[in-house]
Amino acid sequence: MPGLPFVDDSHIPLDEGPEAIEAVGRHQGEGMWGRFDDNRITGGWHAFTTDPLNHDLGWSVRYHPDHGRTILLMRDNDVSTLHSQWGGAQLLFRAGGYWWDGTTWYRPGQVWDPVGQDYERRKARAAVTVNAVDMLDRRADPKRAHLGTVLDFDASAPPPENWSDHMALWAAHRQDMEEALPLERCVVDLASPELSGPQLLGVPEMAELGGITASTLRAYISRGNSEVPQPQATVSGRDQWARAVADDWVEARARSRDGVRATMSAGDPDHLSQGAAEVRDHFADDFQNLLWDRPDVRKRWILRARNESSVREVSDLLAWNVAVSLDRILPAHLLGPAVEAAVLHDFSDAITLNKAVKAHGKDRLEKGWWHLYLTTPIAKTLDWFIRHHPETAHHYIGEITHEAHTRWEIPAEATLRTLNQALALDGKLTDEERETFFALLAPPAQND
């Protein structure tokens, strides 16, 4: 990064490929490790190793076939985290998480895209790539700079004030490298209106934007809360964030589990969801009627009549009230069609897989044999349905066997066997309970 010192990396076999970099630290001693992986998205590879001279530091290397190589000296505890990030399209990180894919600069990923199963790529506004030629200063003198070593490197030390001299020394070293990219292709930084001084916010402004107090935000930062983005700059020792990054953070908070819960609580004082609040209100009324309006129960609150036995009787009454109200909590007439659709969806996937096996010349499927299955979440849901609403579950399993036969000519016996086996693996019903229940579903014997 601009402003950081350059450190001698000649003791690391950077030119010998990723396997050699990995081998420096892998199985070489306590506290050392190394790894490399090919990048299937952009080509090239990325590797890291613990430094053999200073085990508190590590080297992270990213090679791209078009954009060359990036070499970073980091705290050894952080190299594996960056390694996982470099498995994607990110080639370079700057300004607290802004990243470059070889063409475009993006803001730090914060807002999750559930369809793409990744963070949204939001372009930095009017971003300009700054290369090494742009950073070279004619007045810089490489003789006033020096190349540091891992043994004397201090990560907590301030950056050198004469960084332009160090940049000139780095450029001079590259002249002796045969395969080095020209300086105009060496990306150093980005410039964007988002990162200009007027667009930066401090902790108080950032906290206000997020609807929390400054002390709460500071507590998040001190605890290393990963949801708080990295600052884009540090001015006079104070963290500063780009307004665009702060806006993304606010949006990400609103889309988080806590944000959705707060939004859907509809102002409930106990921060319950709307449905949970309805359940609470229902049982609050029921319990009030039970505990106060019934004289035979209310008399148990008289001190002389209050004992473990009487309290247990009241507890049993309350529990019974909840048990007979299951349909208010999760209506069976709504759960039934959902379970039916989910089971048939699993069956459809299984049949598609069967056809694919046959299409590849692996016809192990004899006529009349059905390789069906249920995924674990669906099996557990069906098991819950049977245990809590057996009569309704009985009806919908009958619907499942009928629909499976209508759509795919699956015999009822095959459907019931599949469901029974799935519950044996993932359910809570005992063997005897399962067999008894499914016996009530078996097709009636045909009269001759």
Side-chain angles (χ1 to χ4, degrees):
M1 280 189 177
L4 294 182
F6 296 97
V7 180
D8 184 12
D9 56 21
S10 59
H11 61 298
I12 304 297
L14 299 171
D15 296 328
E16 298 178 21
E19 295 92 341
I21 297 172
E22 175 190 82
V24 171
R26 197 173 187 90
H27 304 301
Q28 295 303 312
E30 185 176 354
M32 296 188 66
W33 192 244
R35 173 170 176 164
F36 85 91
D37 289 282
D38 293 324
N39 191 301
R40 299 178 181 179
I41 297 177
T42 62
W45 49 265
H46 47 295
F48 72 85
T49 181
T50 304
D51 186 271
L53 305 178
N54 184 346
H55 294 180
D56 291 332
L57 301 175
W59 296 91
S60 188
V61 186
R62 173 74 162 85
Y63 173 75
H64 187 278
D66 297 323
H67 300 289
R69 190 171 62 189
T70 301
I71 307 167
L72 297 177
L73 179 64
M74 308 174 61
R75 292 183 176 86
D76 190 54
N77 290 337
D78 296 331
V79 290
S80 60
T81 300
L82 179 61
H83 188 81
S84 63
Q85 291 178 301
W86 265 354
Q90 298 90 336
L91 296 180
L92 202 63
F93 294 91
R94 290 292 184 266
Y98 278 75
W99 61 276
W100 185 64
D101 67 351
T103 305
T104 306
W105 285 97
Y106 298 91
R107 294 200 293 273
Q110 297 187 82
V111 180
W112 184 255
D113 175 9
V115 177
Q117 287 294 292
D118 199 355
Y119 291 103
E120 287 187 6
R121 295 188 179 186
R122 298 190 170 183
K123 295 180 181 180
R125 183 162 55 90
V128 175
T129 299
V130 179
N131 57 43
V133 170
D134 299 325
M135 299 294 290
L136 288 174
D137 188 342
R138 295 179 182 178
R139 297 167 295 179
D141 183 357
K143 295 179 181 179
R144 294 195 295 261
H146 71 279
L147 191 61
T149 68
V150 292
L151 293 177
D152 60 24
F153 177 73
D154 182 3
S156 62
E161 295 182 0
N162 61 329
W163 187 76
S164 60
D165 296 332
H166 289 259
M167 181 70 177
L169 178 61
W170 172 82
H173 273 282
R174 290 184 63 80
Q175 294 178 358
D176 301 328
M177 299 171 62
E178 295 181 1
E179 298 181 0
L181 292 175
L183 295 179
E184 59 269 19
R185 291 187 58 193
C186 294
V187 177
V188 178
D189 202 0
L190 82 153
S192 169
E194 295 182 8
L195 301 172
S196 62
Q199 293 296 316
L200 297 179
L201 307 176
V203 168
E205 297 84 3
M206 177 87 162
E208 182 179 3
L209 203 62
I212 59 177
T213 64
S215 60
T216 298
L217 179 57
R218 291 191 181 95
Y220 287 167
I221 296 170
S222 67
R223 293 199 300 265
N225 188 311
S226 60
E227 294 179 358
V228 179
Q230 299 177 55
Q232 276 59 69
T234 302
V235 180
S236 300
R238 298 177 182 273
D239 291 339
Q240 302 277 292
W241 289 266
R243 174 60 187 256
V245 172
D247 287 338
D248 289 348
W249 174 64
V250 172
E251 182 178 347
R253 280 173 56 81
R255 292 172 177 264
S256 69
R257 290 175 61 89
D258 290 340
V260 171
R261 184 185 302 112
T263 299
M264 296 306 294
S265 70
D268 181 78
D270 294 328
H271 304 291
L272 297 174
S273 66
Q274 294 181 16
E278 291 173 1
V279 171
R280 177 203 58 198
D281 294 343
H282 164 72
F283 285 111
D285 291 339
D286 276 7
F287 293 166
Q288 170 71 17
N289 294 334
L290 174 65
L291 297 174
W292 188 254
D293 294 344
R294 285 181 50 178
D296 60 319
V297 177
R298 187 172 62 196
K299 68 181 182 181
R300 291 185 172 87
W301 300 120
I302 301 173
L303 188 59
R304 68 173 186 273
R306 195 182 311 166
N307 52 49
E308 183 178 356
S309 176
S310 63
V311 171
R312 183 69 209 186
E313 290 176 8
V314 173
S315 299
D316 289 344
L317 285 172
L318 295 175
W320 178 86
N321 190 285
V322 174
V324 298
S325 301
L326 277 177
D327 207 50
R328 285 182 173 270
I329 300 172
L330 184 57
H333 72 281
L334 300 180
L335 179 61
V339 171
E340 179 184 346
V343 170
L344 292 173
H345 181 273
D346 276 1
F347 280 12
S348 178
D349 284 349
I351 291 168
T352 300
L353 179 61
N354 290 342
K355 292 179 179 178
V357 170
K358 296 180 71 173
H360 284 78
K362 300 177 181 179
D363 192 357
R364 299 189 300 269
L365 307 180
E366 299 176 1
K367 185 176 180 181
W369 187 90
W370 293 88
H371 183 68
L372 303 173
Y373 58 79
L374 289 188
T375 54
T376 299
I378 304 306
K380 288 180 177 294
T381 302
L382 180 61
D383 175 78
W384 187 97
F385 194 21
I386 294 172
R387 289 186 293 108
H388 290 78
H389 299 286
E391 69 286 356
T392 310
H394 181 277
H395 167 77
Y396 279 103
I397 292 176
E399 292 289 314
I400 289 169
T401 58
H402 171 75
E403 191 65 26
H405 184 268
T406 301
R407 292 189 192 182
W408 303 295
E409 297 183 355
I410 299 175
E413 294 83 356
T415 295
L416 296 176
R417 181 175 61 248
T418 299
L419 302 184
N420 195 338
Q421 291 173 345
L423 298 187
L425 292 172
D426 298 312
K428 294 183 178 181
L429 290 167
T430 66
D431 291 345
E432 182 180 356
E433 290 168 341
R434 268 195 350 274
E435 295 304 328
T436 300
F437 180 79
F438 278 95
L440 300 174
L441 287 158
Q446 297 294 324
N447 293 323
D448 293 333

